[in-house]
């Protein structure tokens, strides 16, 4: 391509300070360095993680910054040492990676790469610590190594999944974070058997993806738990069959679920980050065979407290990161599930906005109106 090895000037939505609307700017995007690729982003979406760090709650603020990590695009150029990707490839940038060399990458049981594991504080690239974005010579910081609120971005090749070029990027872009986290938590970690019961605590995007996994697995009962009753009708589209609003009961949720299911559900997934919900998820599974999976990220000082007899009575507690999917190895297969009509993505997409109106996506999420809002670049 003509742009190979050259600086590209393009539009990016820059967060200059915490909680303030993003500003459309012209940025310079440097060529990819060793083990990096430069991607033309065609579609991106907003995840709650972006909003959390944009608000700068509970972490060290790092601004100016280009957020976002759910996206789909086409490789524009590759840096030194990149052999598995080439210009023209259709790809999904991922917030975590797969170097292929560490013990985690060699393990069939782990997806927590030593080199490319999620790092929310890093504002530059791993190769040299420098940013590939700048405005008038001043660096603009990266986010999660992806920064897809830019028409072009630079990503480590280990964080790039090459996918079927026939897959519609305006749909499969949501596979690169929340959807896979919830879906994989159910299919890869909880592993419900056909006909079993599953409880989902938290019916946001990740919880609905977990419900979709339970639906695909053939669960007979999928019980949704949420404090917001407005979510219940929407959740039916994802296979949820019954609902519990904790505010409508005068006893703990785990007791309510145990009464509904003759002793507890077979599998449960906690998708809120609330430590109280984590305890409820564990204590609502049936003794002898119940498995609870923690998906949400707790606050730094939270502590999980339950009686040891809950373990001795043969309940199992597990945790998961990104649904136990290896980004480069497994995510192309999730896309194929959609292409084969095993996985439904359209129902997750509630809004679409042009890149020029990106702040509307934040409004929709902050008001609780959206599951996923697709942002069309170049529009």
């Amino acid at each position: 391509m003509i742009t190979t090895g050259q600086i590209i000037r393009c539009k990016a939505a820059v967060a200059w300070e915490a909680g303030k609307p993003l500003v459309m700017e012209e940025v310079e995007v440097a060529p990819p360095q060793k083990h990096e690729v430069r991607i033309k982003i065609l579609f991106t979406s907003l995840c709650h993680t972006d909003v959390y760090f944009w608000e700068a709650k509970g972490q060290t603020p790092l601004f100016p910054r280009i957020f976002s990590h759910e996206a789909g695009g086409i490789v524009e150029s590759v840096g030194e040492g990149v052999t598995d990707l080439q210009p023209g490839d259709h790809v999904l940038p991922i917030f975590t990676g797969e170097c292929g060399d560490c013990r985690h990458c060699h393990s069939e049981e782990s997806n927590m790469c030593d080199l490319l594991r999620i790092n929310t504080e890093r504002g530059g690239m791993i190769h040299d610590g420098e940013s590939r974005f700048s405005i008038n010579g001043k660096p603009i910081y990266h986010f999660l190594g992806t920064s897809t609120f830019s028409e072009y971005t630079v990503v480590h090749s280990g964080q790039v999944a090459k996918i079927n070029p026939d897959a519609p990027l305006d749909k499969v872009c949501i596979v690169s974070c929340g959807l896979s986290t919830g879906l994989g938590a159910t299919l890869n970690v909880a592993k419900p058997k056909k006909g079993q019961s599953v409880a989902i605590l938290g019916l946001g995007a990740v919880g609905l993806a977990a419900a979709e996994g339970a639906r695909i697995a053939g669960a007979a009962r999928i019980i949704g738990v949420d404090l917001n009753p407005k979510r219940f009708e929407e959740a039916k589209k994802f296979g949820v069959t019954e609902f519990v609003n904790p505010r409508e009961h005068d006893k703990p949720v785990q007791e309510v679920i145990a009464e509904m299911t003759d002793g507890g559900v077979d599998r449960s997934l906690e998708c809120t980050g609330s430590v109280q919900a984590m305890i409820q998820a564990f204590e609502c599974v049936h003794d002898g065979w119940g498995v609870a999976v923690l998906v949400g990220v707790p606050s730094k000082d939270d502590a999980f407290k339950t009686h040891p007899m809950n373990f001795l009575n043969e309940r199992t507690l597990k945790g998961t990161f990104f649904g136990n999917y290896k980004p480069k190895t497994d995510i192309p297969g999730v896309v194929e599930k959609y292409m084969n009509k095993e996985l439904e993505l359209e129902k997750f997409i509630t809004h679409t906005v042009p890149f020029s109106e990106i702040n509307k996506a934040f409004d929709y999420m902050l008001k609780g109106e959206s599951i996923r809002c697709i942002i069309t670049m170049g529009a």
Side-chain angles (χ1 to χ4, degrees):
M1 293 186 180
I2 298 173
T3 51
T4 299
Q6 307 295 315
I7 290 174
I8 289 179
R9 290 175 176 81
C10 69
K11 290 180 182 177
V14 177
W16 287 99
E17 53 185 307
K20 296 296 177 67
L22 306 189
V23 180
M24 203 62 66
E25 305 278 10
E26 181 179 85
V27 299
E28 294 186 343
V29 185
Q33 301 302 305
K34 189 174 182 180
H35 300 310
E36 296 172 1
V37 299
R38 188 161 59 186
I39 302 168
K40 181 178 182 179
I41 300 297
L42 298 181
F43 299 94
T44 186
S45 67
L46 180 66
C47 171
H48 188 266
T49 301
D50 298 309
V51 175
Y52 180 78
F53 282 89
W54 166 71
E55 291 177 325
K57 292 181 177 178
Q59 75 277 342
T60 304
L62 188 60
F63 295 94
R65 207 168 199 183
I66 297 174
F67 283 103
S68 195
H69 56 286
E70 286 190 355
I74 298 174
V75 174
E76 174 269 340
S77 60
V78 303
E80 177 189 344
V82 178
T83 58
D84 61 333
L85 295 164
Q86 60 185 13
D89 284 345
H90 286 221
V91 296
L92 303 180
I94 313 287
F95 68 93
T96 186
E98 184 179 351
C99 72
D101 295 323
C102 69
R103 287 199 301 168
H104 284 280
C105 287
H106 286 163
S107 168
E108 293 182 359
E109 299 178 37
S110 175
N111 65 342
M112 303 186 72
C113 175
D114 281 333
L115 178 66
L116 299 171
R117 189 178 303 189
I118 183 173
N119 185 324
T120 59
E121 297 184 1
R122 185 187 299 124
M125 298 299 290
I126 286 178
H127 175 61
D128 56 11
E130 301 294 323
S131 175
R132 303 290 176 258
F133 299 108
S134 63
I135 297 177
N136 298 323
K138 296 186 68 174
I140 307 296
Y141 296 113
H142 293 250
F143 180 63
L144 301 181
T146 51
S147 294
T148 59
F149 282 168
S150 175
E151 292 177 326
Y152 286 85
T153 189
V154 176
V155 182
H156 191 287
S157 63
Q159 291 180 241
V160 180
K162 180 181 175 180
I163 64 168
N164 185 340
D166 292 331
L169 291 172
D170 62 332
K171 305 295 189 301
V172 300
C173 63
I174 66 171
V175 166
S176 58
C177 179
L179 181 130
S180 294
T181 296
L183 184 76
T186 302
L187 296 179
N188 299 334
V189 186
K191 298 180 179 178
K193 298 173 183 175
K194 187 173 182 179
Q196 287 191 321
S197 58
V198 179
I200 312 287
L201 287 81
L203 296 175
V206 174
L208 293 175
E212 177 75 356
R215 181 192 68 79
I216 291 171
R221 298 177 70 182
I222 304 175
I223 301 170
V225 180
D226 203 287
L227 295 170
N228 182 358
K230 293 179 181 178
R231 289 179 166 177
F232 292 166
E233 195 62 36
E234 188 77 27
K236 292 178 182 177
K237 300 176 185 176
F238 300 83
V240 177
T241 57
E242 300 158 73
F243 303 96
V244 174
N245 183 341
R247 292 196 176 110
E248 296 178 355
H249 299 272
D250 57 5
K251 61 181 68 174
V253 167
Q254 52 269 51
E255 292 183 20
V256 173
I257 294 175
E259 290 178 2
M260 293 171 63
T261 56
D262 190 25
V265 287
D266 301 302
R267 301 289 186 266
S268 72
L269 296 105
E270 179 284 322
C271 303
T272 70
S274 159
V275 71
Q276 191 62 38
M278 294 178 183
I279 295 167
Q280 293 165 350
F282 179 51
E283 295 182 354
C284 82
V285 297
H286 206 289
D287 58 5
W289 61 80
V291 177
V293 179
L294 307 186
V295 184
V297 179
S299 298
K300 183 176 65 172
D301 297 324
D302 280 342
F304 184 98
K305 184 179 179 181
T306 191
H307 197 283
M309 282 305 299
N310 287 318
F311 292 98
L312 294 176
N313 287 335
E314 300 184 359
R315 293 178 179 90
T316 300
L317 180 65
K318 294 185 175 184
T320 179
F321 169 70
F322 193 45
N324 206 226
Y325 286 121
K326 291 180 183 287
K328 294 175 76 72
T329 300
D330 298 330
I331 292 305
V334 178
V335 171
E336 290 307 306
K337 281 185 181 292
Y338 169 72
M339 296 298 285
N340 295 333
K341 301 190 183 329
E342 300 168 42
L343 171 65
E344 300 171 13
L345 296 180
E346 286 82 359
K347 60 191 177 185
F348 287 90
I349 300 168
T350 52
H351 298 78
T352 301
V353 299
F355 191 32
S356 59
E357 298 178 13
I358 189 170
N359 287 301
K360 285 186 177 179
F362 283 76
D363 292 339
Y364 292 140
M365 181 162 285
L366 289 169
K367 292 176 182 176
E369 296 176 356
S370 67
I371 301 174
R372 277 298 181 266
C373 178
I374 301 299
I375 298 154
T376 303
M377 311 300 283

